[in-house]
Amino acid sequence: MYDCGIVFSCPVFQLVTKFIIFIKNLLNHKPAEMKNLQVSKIEASDKITLKNASLLLDNLTEANKIDCVNWKEYLYKPRVEFRIGHAGDLILLKYSVTEKSVRAMETEINGDVYQDSCVEFFVSIDGQHYYNFEFNCIGIPHVAWGSGRNGRQLLPVDRVKEIQTRSSLGTEPFQVKNGSFSWELCVLIPASCFIHDPGLIFDGLSGNANFYKCGDALPEPHFLTWNPVGTPQPDYHRPEYFGKIDFE
């Protein structure tokens, strides 16, 4: 008979056990299968503006749900959808949200819009860096670029001002309001805002992206994603969990 005490104290056995545990943890946190999003090109007879972009998106694109609840500590799930299209040198985005409470306190470009009722679009063009476009529910933008959470570079305010937004909640800031609220935000992002990819045209472009809804300072903080995120705690700055995005 083997001496179990000797076996379990054997250095080789301990190394094998640690390796098995490592592999199990790795498998438990592996990225989920990526979603694939096809972005249609929108051909318009008139110039695309905030006045007609919403209707164009409604008529020519499909609604996509932001409904992944990845963290059991944050189970509240507002109803959130987005539509996306492009016009060669322009991205059209429309978010539709229904939630219990809303907040819009941030008024500074590149401020902490994530504290408010916030929708976000993270996209990587080169597979190594990504842009994060974040908007609170009155359309105030925050835009940065980098390879991860740390060391991100804010885009110049003058360039961020080229982004156009239109919210059904208007443009004036307000404290938390409780009840039942439905709101829409339409966004036009010109290719010129992708300052680290000069001359960018979206036709035929492939990349990776994720879409989010959050509200850190709301009565019920929540962290929804389009593509699942497999981190232990909420973390949107994880490009390994981006889905695939292909522009027509």
Side-chain angles (χ1 to χ4, degrees):
M1 295 178 62
Y2 293 105
D3 187 331
C4 293
I6 295 176
V7 171
F8 287 110
S9 64
C10 172
V12 174
F13 181 85
Q14 292 176 350
L15 286 173
V16 171
T17 301
K18 289 180 179 179
F19 179 73
I20 291 173
I21 293 173
F22 170 78
I23 293 298
K24 285 183 178 180
N25 289 336
L26 186 64
L27 292 174
N28 287 337
H29 292 91
K30 67 179 181 179
E33 183 178 352
M34 287 195 302
K35 291 183 178 179
N36 196 308
L37 181 64
Q38 303 295 319
V39 181
S40 299
K41 184 170 185 178
I42 294 178
E43 305 282 358
S45 55
D46 298 323
K47 180 181 178 181
I48 295 176
T49 67
L50 286 172
K51 291 183 178 180
N52 61 16
S54 178
L55 186 59
L56 287 170
L57 287 169
D58 286 344
N59 292 337
L60 301 176
T61 67
E62 295 183 359
N64 303 274
K65 295 182 183 297
I66 302 177
D67 61 356
C68 291
V69 177
N70 304 286
W71 301 283
K72 62 182 179 181
E73 298 87 354
Y74 303 97
L75 295 179
Y76 173 55
K77 185 168 74 171
R79 181 180 179 274
V80 188
E81 294 182 344
F82 71 92
R83 295 174 182 269
I84 184 171
H86 82 94
D89 61 352
L90 183 71
I91 289 178
L92 297 76
L93 264 173
K94 180 181 179 180
Y95 293 91
S96 300
V97 181
T98 299
E99 55 186 332
K100 293 180 181 178
S101 56
V102 290
R103 178 186 190 269
M105 291 299 297
E106 185 58 74
T107 59
E108 296 293 326
I109 290 176
N110 288 339
D112 295 336
V113 297
Y114 68 91
Q115 300 278 6
D116 293 336
S117 299
C118 180
V119 288
E120 305 182 357
F121 168 47
F122 285 30
V123 59
S124 174
I125 303 300
D126 62 5
Q128 296 181 334
H129 307 86
Y130 62 92
Y131 298 82
N132 54 298
F133 295 91
E134 308 174 12
F135 307 91
N136 69 4
C137 60
I138 57 172
I140 303 300
H142 173 111
V143 186
W145 174 90
S147 60
R149 172 179 289 279
N150 298 319
R152 300 200 66 70
Q153 300 177 28
L154 293 172
L155 264 65
V157 170
D158 286 347
R159 187 55 59 94
V160 178
K161 285 182 177 179
E162 296 178 10
I163 298 172
Q164 300 178 59
T165 63
R166 184 176 187 177
S167 171
S168 61
L169 295 178
T171 59
E172 294 299 316
F174 54 83
Q175 297 276 2
V176 172
K177 298 179 181 180
N178 296 309
S180 180
F181 299 89
S182 293
W183 55 274
E184 292 184 341
L185 179 69
C186 193
V187 181
L188 300 181
I189 306 174
S192 58
C193 286
F194 291 75
I195 62 174
H196 299 281
D197 299 274
L200 182 67
I201 295 295
F202 298 112
D203 295 89
L205 185 70
S206 292
N208 299 94
N210 214 341
F211 299 80
Y212 308 117
K213 168 68 176 76
C214 63
D216 291 35
L218 290 175
E220 287 192 75
H222 51 274
F223 304 92
L224 304 182
T225 68
W226 168 67
N227 201 67
V229 175
T231 57
Q233 298 297 324
D235 189 355
Y236 288 169
H237 289 270
R238 298 297 291 267
E240 67 268 36
Y241 293 104
F242 287 5
K244 192 80 169 59
I245 186 167
D246 295 309
F247 292 83
E248 181 184 358

